[in-house]
Amino acid sequence: MRLHLLCGRMAVGNDRAREKASEMFRIGVDVGGTFTDFTISNAVSGENLYFKLPSTPADPSDAIVDGISQILTIFDISAKDIAYIGHGTTVATNMIIERRGVPTGLITTKGFRDVLAIGRQTRPALYDSAVRKPEPLVDRYRRLEVGERMTAQGECLAPLDERELDAIISELASTGIEALAISFLHSYRNPEHEEVAARLVREKLPGVYVSVSSNVLPEFREFERTSTTVLNSYVGPKMEAYFDRLKRKIAEIGIGSAPMIVHSNGGLLSIETAKRLPVTTCLSGPAAGVIGAAVVSTAAGFPNLVTFDVGGTSTDVSLIVDGKPKLTSSREVAGYPVKLPMIDIHVIGAGGGSIAQVDAAKSLKVGPRSAGAQPGPVAYGRGGTEPTITDANICLNRLNPVALLDGRMPIDRAAALAAIEEKVARPLGLSVEEAAYGIIQVAAANMSRAIRAVTTEQGYDLARIALFAFGGAGPLHAAEVAREAGVEQIIVPQEPGTMCARGVLLSDVSLSFVRMQLAPVTPDSWRKACEAMRDMVTEGDQWLASENVASEARGFELSIDAHYLGQSHEIRVEVASIDDDGLNAFLRAFGAVHQATYGYENPDQQVFIVSCRLRAVGQVPKSVGAAYAGGPSIVEAKTDSRNVYFGPQDGWLDTPVYRRSALPVGETVSGPAIIDEMSSTTVVLAGQRAVIDGFGNIIISN
């Protein structure tokens, strides 16, 4: 399989333009902080091409459109042959982290003005007096109350005071708001007051972006619902402008297909839906990587795995069981709750740029501070002075000590050695190689802890789970982390640095729906739950039709959130079909899930249904790639050998270096070994074995 990796306008590897073909092409795009990655899939042959160029943080759409334009030219593809474009983005996430949203207002039920400031009783660091909660995204003078009240049963207790609302709208307009969130108590039961308020706001303030909680998150727990709705409004205007700009620019280069947007549960949305619900795009890029890993690994025969995505500043890990990513219905973005279905991704501050330092107690710490892209690791020669994980790998010759990116990025190994000796080795009384190896071991321990948090701490046996390593630095550390965590097999996909862009092409169109029930399980409440699920199927089918999904490609995944009476946190139980007589089957399924989650079940205890959920899915064409041919022999794949340090037990070992694209399928590479490619380096430890499978994955076994 041919591989193309480009940065700017310089082709790397086989830069021969591909022959003109009549097939249709699908493009996946993932925008990162440093690079924007593309995967181009031939919809007929299954061949994948890869492309990279620097990101444009001021306007990410510039890099996307420039990249697509270059792809059309270099690979000689006609714009009319582009059938699909999918886009993973962290634009909304970065906007929240950097507090670059628009001035936002909030209208809420009288008495609940300060719910954003009060929040919950939980604290991230109970005994750390220096920890502060983030300030609400809506200033108090822009959080106003109106007279109205619905009961928990959805009955009108007090009508909406429209005269008071009119005055409130005028007051908020005078503060210069560009977006507004409306969140009334119990609107998940009856949205009538919110709908009236939204209509009046849009009539009086036609240029203001409006989010309504009963549309964004029709669930109970007013703090999370209000926070999620505010976040949607806070990023809404800028995300709306970004999506419109991207759509227009893509059309201007002659592509008739409007881009689809990845959202946080790994599905795809049309631009129109994403403009209405931009908060759903938080973490969309990492989510696409998890979806891609699930498809690729399942095809390779590994349905149970932990994804291990290591970039420059962070490590993202997520659990996949039976080919399906684990989901969560609540997490925080920059300290603000977002209660939406999303892939459960655990993030720690450990990446290639993470800084190593010795603290006052003479302990070695690695991360979460990062050198970032600028100034970056010391060895990059861009002004960095603090040693990083990347510097440690260069000192130990695990990374090429002369140049990276196929020779295009010169490396100053001597500077890295000097920094580690000054900042780590000398203070700890170690040799430079011992200090560098210690940095890698500390990082591996931190990464392993994150992996155990989503596996063994959740009742999963790591010995039966593979590690799927991607991102620029994932394959570099996977072998050490696997041994530390007790994982027996590692999977490294083709071009791991572009896995998130590849995952975009393997994602389905999807959107989640919810209906609150809040009732003990009885035959009557079960029938009502079945009725709610039927209503959601109808609504989901209508939404999929609006997304132009063919009827034969539509599917629906049902589940119920429930708990034992007296518990405060629910568990999710999958529902195979809607059956008015299926109450006993549901109770048995609930008991089994409770047993698996908490280690016990209590058949005599009353079960309480919280909500019914549906995920409407529109399946899109998927291909894990054309059959992988590989090279003729291991001997021809060897490009070099160098001394690499593997710890105090093995010391420096003469280690062969292989070019990944030249390795043959099915033949064993015995460790120690280094496997190089454009976007990543894979380390195989002594005693480990690596094999290229028929999909082009590297499978490493301990």
Side-chain angles (χ1 to χ4, degrees):
M1 181 178 295
R2 293 192 302 274
L3 173 67
H4 300 266
L5 277 169
L6 294 99
C7 199
R9 299 185 182 274
M10 180 69 70
V12 179
N14 182 3
D15 59 357
R16 180 167 51 88
R18 65 180 315 282
E19 294 180 358
K20 178 69 176 176
S22 60
E23 294 90 353
M24 302 301 286
F25 294 88
R26 304 172 72 245
I27 299 178
V29 185
D30 177 59
V31 178
T34 305
F35 288 104
T36 296
D37 302 330
F38 300 80
T39 297
I40 308 99
S41 176
N42 186 316
V44 176
S45 70
E47 179 188 22
N48 286 335
L49 306 168
Y50 303 93
F51 186 89
K52 266 176 119 66
L53 82 171
S55 294
T56 50
D59 185 354
S61 68
D62 288 341
I64 295 173
V65 176
D66 186 29
I68 293 174
S69 298
Q70 292 188 46
I71 287 168
L72 298 179
T73 300
I74 295 169
F75 300 137
D76 194 21
I77 298 172
S78 171
K80 65 181 178 59
D81 290 335
I82 304 300
Y84 167 89
I85 296 174
H87 174 25
T89 174
T90 55
V91 172
T93 304
N94 294 338
M95 205 179 297
I96 295 168
I97 291 171
E98 299 168 14
R99 295 182 68 97
R100 291 187 290 104
V102 302
T104 303
L106 170 66
I107 300 176
T108 190
T109 303
K110 190 158 290 186
F112 289 85
R113 176 185 192 181
D114 293 319
V115 68
L116 290 179
I118 295 170
R120 291 288 177 197
Q121 193 172 3
T122 55
R123 297 292 182 270
L126 186 60
Y127 300 107
D128 189 345
S129 60
V131 172
R132 293 288 182 270
K133 293 191 300 181
E135 290 296 319
L137 293 174
V138 181
D139 295 321
R140 194 171 193 273
Y141 72 94
R142 287 178 171 147
R143 303 196 303 259
L144 302 182
E145 303 171 342
V146 66
E148 70 83 36
R149 191 66 175 262
M150 291 288 181
T151 69
Q153 289 71 42
E155 299 170 355
C156 181
L157 186 64
L160 176 64
D161 189 334
E162 294 189 24
R163 181 176 297 179
E164 184 179 20
L165 177 62
D166 187 70
I168 285 172
I169 294 171
S170 297
E171 183 177 349
L172 286 172
S174 69
T175 69
I177 63 167
E178 297 177 31
L180 178 67
I182 300 173
S183 182
F184 292 161
L185 200 65
H186 302 308
S187 62
Y188 57 87
R189 282 293 202 194
N190 186 343
E192 180 182 347
H193 289 175
E194 284 194 347
E195 291 170 351
V196 171
R199 175 175 55 80
L200 294 174
V201 169
R202 291 184 175 113
E203 288 175 358
K204 193 163 185 177
L205 304 176
V208 170
Y209 185 97
V210 180
S211 297
V212 179
S213 76
S214 52
N215 289 333
V216 176
L217 183 65
E219 297 188 38
F220 77 145
R221 296 189 173 117
E222 67 281 355
F223 170 51
E224 289 80 2
R225 178 162 50 88
T226 304
S227 173
T228 305
T229 306
V230 164
L231 285 169
N232 197 72
S233 284
Y234 183 71
V235 302
K238 290 187 176 181
M239 291 298 289
E240 186 176 53
Y242 169 69
F243 289 140
D244 284 340
R245 195 161 57 246
L246 175 64
K247 182 179 179 179
R248 185 188 70 252
K249 289 179 179 179
I250 286 176
E252 287 173 352
I253 60 176
I255 295 175
S257 177
M260 300 288 285
I261 309 300
V262 180
H263 60 106
S264 304
N265 75 359
L268 292 162
L269 301 171
S270 67
I271 273 188
E272 294 308 312
T273 302
K275 284 161 60 177
R276 179 171 59 87
L277 297 170
V279 71
T280 62
T281 66
C282 293
L283 303 175
S284 81
V290 176
I291 292 295
V295 175
V296 171
S297 62
T298 300
F302 297 90
N304 301 311
L305 65 144
V306 176
T307 63
F308 181 60
D309 179 5
V310 186
T313 59
S314 68
T315 294
D316 301 343
V317 299
S318 187
L319 179 65
I320 295 171
V321 178
D322 295 330
K324 294 182 179 180
K326 298 288 285 184
L327 299 177
T328 181
S329 60
S330 183
R331 67 170 302 160
E332 292 186 347
V333 176
Y336 300 105
V338 178
K339 196 177 190 303
L340 292 169
M342 59 183 70
I343 292 177
D344 191 5
I345 300 174
H346 189 81
V347 183
I348 63 168
S354 294
I355 292 170
Q357 59 183 335
V358 177
D359 65 13
K362 296 295 183 181
S363 296
L364 175 61
K365 292 188 175 181
V366 180
R369 285 200 309 128
S370 174
Q374 291 289 341
V378 176
Y380 286 4
R382 297 174 178 167
T385 59
E386 299 185 270
T388 66
I389 294 175
T390 295
D391 292 310
N393 279 298
I394 288 169
C395 288
L396 301 182
N397 285 346
R398 297 188 176 202
L399 284 173
N400 191 316
V402 178
L404 301 177
L405 300 180
D406 280 348
R408 291 187 299 107
M409 178 184 285
I411 292 299
D412 189 345
R413 182 171 182 263
L417 287 167
I420 289 178
E421 179 175 11
E422 177 188 353
K423 301 290 180 67
V424 180
R426 197 179 303 153
L428 294 178
L430 301 173
S431 66
V432 175
E433 59 262 29
E434 288 173 336
Y437 185 72
I439 292 170
I440 291 173
Q441 290 298 100
V442 170
N446 292 338
M447 295 168 180
S448 298
R449 193 175 302 115
I451 290 171
R452 285 190 287 269
V454 301
T455 53
T456 53
E457 292 181 15
Q458 305 296 324
Y460 295 93
D461 183 3
L462 268 172
R464 301 183 179 183
I465 295 175
L467 188 68
F468 192 95
F470 61 103
L476 187 65
H477 294 277
E480 295 278 359
V481 170
R483 283 196 172 174
E484 168 75 19
V487 178
E488 295 182 357
Q489 288 187 302
I490 302 164
I491 306 164
V492 182
Q494 290 188 75
E495 285 310 319
T498 62
M499 190 65 223
C500 290
R502 188 177 175 189
V504 172
L505 297 179
L506 299 173
S507 300
D508 291 319
V509 176
S510 73
L511 188 65
S512 297
F513 300 83
V514 63
R515 293 285 189 279
M516 300 304 297
Q517 297 299 300
L518 299 174
V521 173
T522 64
D524 183 58
S525 67
W526 176 253
R527 284 190 293 271
K528 290 180 179 178
C530 290
E531 182 180 344
M533 287 188 284
R534 291 189 185 97
D535 289 343
M536 285 192 296
V537 169
T538 299
E539 186 179 355
D541 190 64
Q542 292 171 347
W543 178 77
L544 288 172
S546 72
E547 297 286 300
N548 299 315
V549 176
S551 57
E552 62 272 15
R554 301 173 197 170
F556 306 95
E557 299 170 0
L558 291 160
S559 62
I560 290 177
D561 289 352
H563 57 69
Y564 284 126
L565 201 63
Q567 292 179 325
S568 59
H569 290 86
E570 54 272 13
I571 57 176
R572 188 159 299 173
V573 182
E574 293 185 3
V575 177
S577 62
I578 303 173
D579 182 2
D580 288 345
D581 298 320
L583 174 56
N584 290 332
F586 166 73
L587 291 174
R588 288 193 297 271
F590 172 83
V593 175
H594 200 280
Q595 175 76 39
T597 304
Y598 296 115
Y600 76 96
E601 63 173 310
N602 188 354
D604 298 325
Q605 179 73 1
Q606 174 76 61
V607 176
F608 191 87
I609 294 180
V610 175
S611 59
C612 299
R613 296 184 182 275
L614 175 132
R615 183 171 179 258
V617 179
Q619 295 183 346
V620 300
K622 300 182 185 70
S623 171
V624 295
Y628 186 81
S633 70
I634 290 179
V635 173
E636 293 187 37
K638 183 178 176 181
T639 60
D640 194 7
S641 64
R642 61 176 180 259
N643 281 331
V644 179
Y645 188 77
F646 288 97
Q649 182 174 346
D650 295 322
W652 292 92
L653 299 177
D654 185 36
T655 303
V657 180
Y658 299 98
R659 184 66 183 172
R660 175 172 181 163
S661 59
L663 285 170
V665 173
E667 293 193 35
T668 299
V669 174
S670 298
I674 301 293
I675 302 175
D676 270 340
E677 56 191 308
M678 166 61 181
S679 65
S680 189
T681 294
T682 300
V683 173
V684 184
L685 300 178
Q688 293 180 330
R689 302 175 307 281
V691 177
I692 303 288
D693 71 4
F695 297 101
N697 302 307
I698 302 174
I699 311 296
I700 302 173
S701 303
N702 283 317

